[in-house]
Amino acid sequence: MDYLRPAAHHSAELEIRKSRFICDIQPVGDREEAIRFIESVRAGHPKANHHCWSYIAGVPDDSHQWNCSDDGEPKGTAGQPMLNVLRHSHLGNICAVVTRYFGGVKLGTGGLARAYSQSVQEALQRLPTEAVIATLTITLTAPYNLTGELEQLISQFNLGDCQRHFTSEMKVIAKLEAHRLTAFQQALTPLQHLITLTIS
């Protein structure tokens, strides 16, 4: 599955009824990276009242990679509304932290949910994104006299993370963009009895 993720850190600030809401968004590779980012935002705003957060630490549709926190706000008024915005954005590998400096005017539960949602929406509007292309790990095994043909395939299909192993045969472990698998298999057809393809 191909999807978009943040290309860089981005932040946006709103003032709603005298409270400041600062939304920081960061690309994250996994849950641990998301937690580190949340802690870094918390450290950067030690006097703030709340640091509410939500993240999708992998592909957008993998609910095992979702998490959120209200950080002391009334239950369900911050983290979940923020996560809903992230889910509807269809972005992956994303963490959002909304830092609130309380301005003295209570917003009520509905007002809080709207404020936290709006904060994330505002930051997403100008967020730079980049594509994440789904890849497969493939292994190619061939006799040494086909080294030239293997190198041509590597170049033609722009195989990434290539590892070459020289044993009794030449073995290449690499990443192939998932959507190019059929074309790759077709390119191998004339040599299929000589080159072994394994997909893991």
Side-chain angles (χ1 to χ4, degrees):
M1 173 188 169
D2 301 344
Y3 59 93
L4 294 175
R5 70 177 174 201
H9 175 265
H10 183 67
S11 65
E13 184 173 335
L14 289 176
E15 186 175 310
I16 299 170
R17 298 183 70 187
K18 298 187 179 177
S19 278
R20 284 175 67 206
F21 291 85
I22 305 160
C23 180
D24 284 280
I25 289 180
Q26 173 87 358
V28 293
D30 53 35
R31 288 167 171 270
E32 289 73 23
E33 217 174 302
I35 298 302
R36 285 198 298 273
F37 173 62
I38 293 160
E39 292 308 319
S40 73
V41 173
R42 196 184 298 277
H45 295 275
K47 294 183 178 177
N49 300 85
H50 304 279
H51 299 92
C52 305
W53 52 264
S54 64
Y55 62 71
I56 296 172
V59 298
D61 296 335
D62 183 0
S63 58
H64 298 294
Q65 302 297 334
W66 303 348
N67 204 355
C68 62
S69 167
D70 297 313
D71 192 42
E73 292 282 29
K75 185 173 169 58
T77 61
Q80 192 60 53
M82 290 168 63
L83 182 57
N84 290 342
V85 174
L86 292 187
R87 285 175 56 199
H88 285 109
S89 75
H90 304 296
L91 294 168
N93 300 108
I94 184 169
C95 181
V97 183
V98 176
T99 301
R100 182 189 183 196
Y101 287 90
F102 181 54
V105 180
K106 292 192 174 182
L107 301 180
T109 54
L112 281 173
R114 282 191 296 277
Y116 280 101
S117 297
Q118 191 181 339
S119 226
V120 177
Q121 285 165 348
E122 189 75 20
L124 287 176
Q125 278 181 10
R126 291 177 179 79
L127 177 71
T129 59
E130 62 188 8
V132 179
I133 308 296
T135 59
L136 302 166
T137 300
I138 62 168
T139 304
L140 298 164
T141 311
Y144 282 106
N145 64 341
L146 290 178
T147 301
E149 285 81 350
L150 270 185
E151 292 297 338
Q152 192 177 339
L153 284 167
I154 290 167
S155 171
Q156 181 185 343
F157 286 89
N158 197 25
L159 299 184
D161 298 337
C162 273
Q163 299 169 35
R164 294 166 177 82
H165 302 276
F166 304 98
T167 54
S168 57
E169 293 185 296
M170 185 173 176
K171 186 176 179 182
V172 176
I173 301 170
K175 300 279 188 194
L176 170 69
E177 292 178 5
H179 66 92
R180 303 189 76 184
L181 177 60
T182 304
F184 189 77
Q185 288 169 322
Q186 287 170 348
L188 269 183
T189 303
L191 303 163
Q192 64 187 7
H193 55 296
L194 297 169
I195 298 178
T196 308
L197 168 65
T198 312
I199 302 163
S200 54

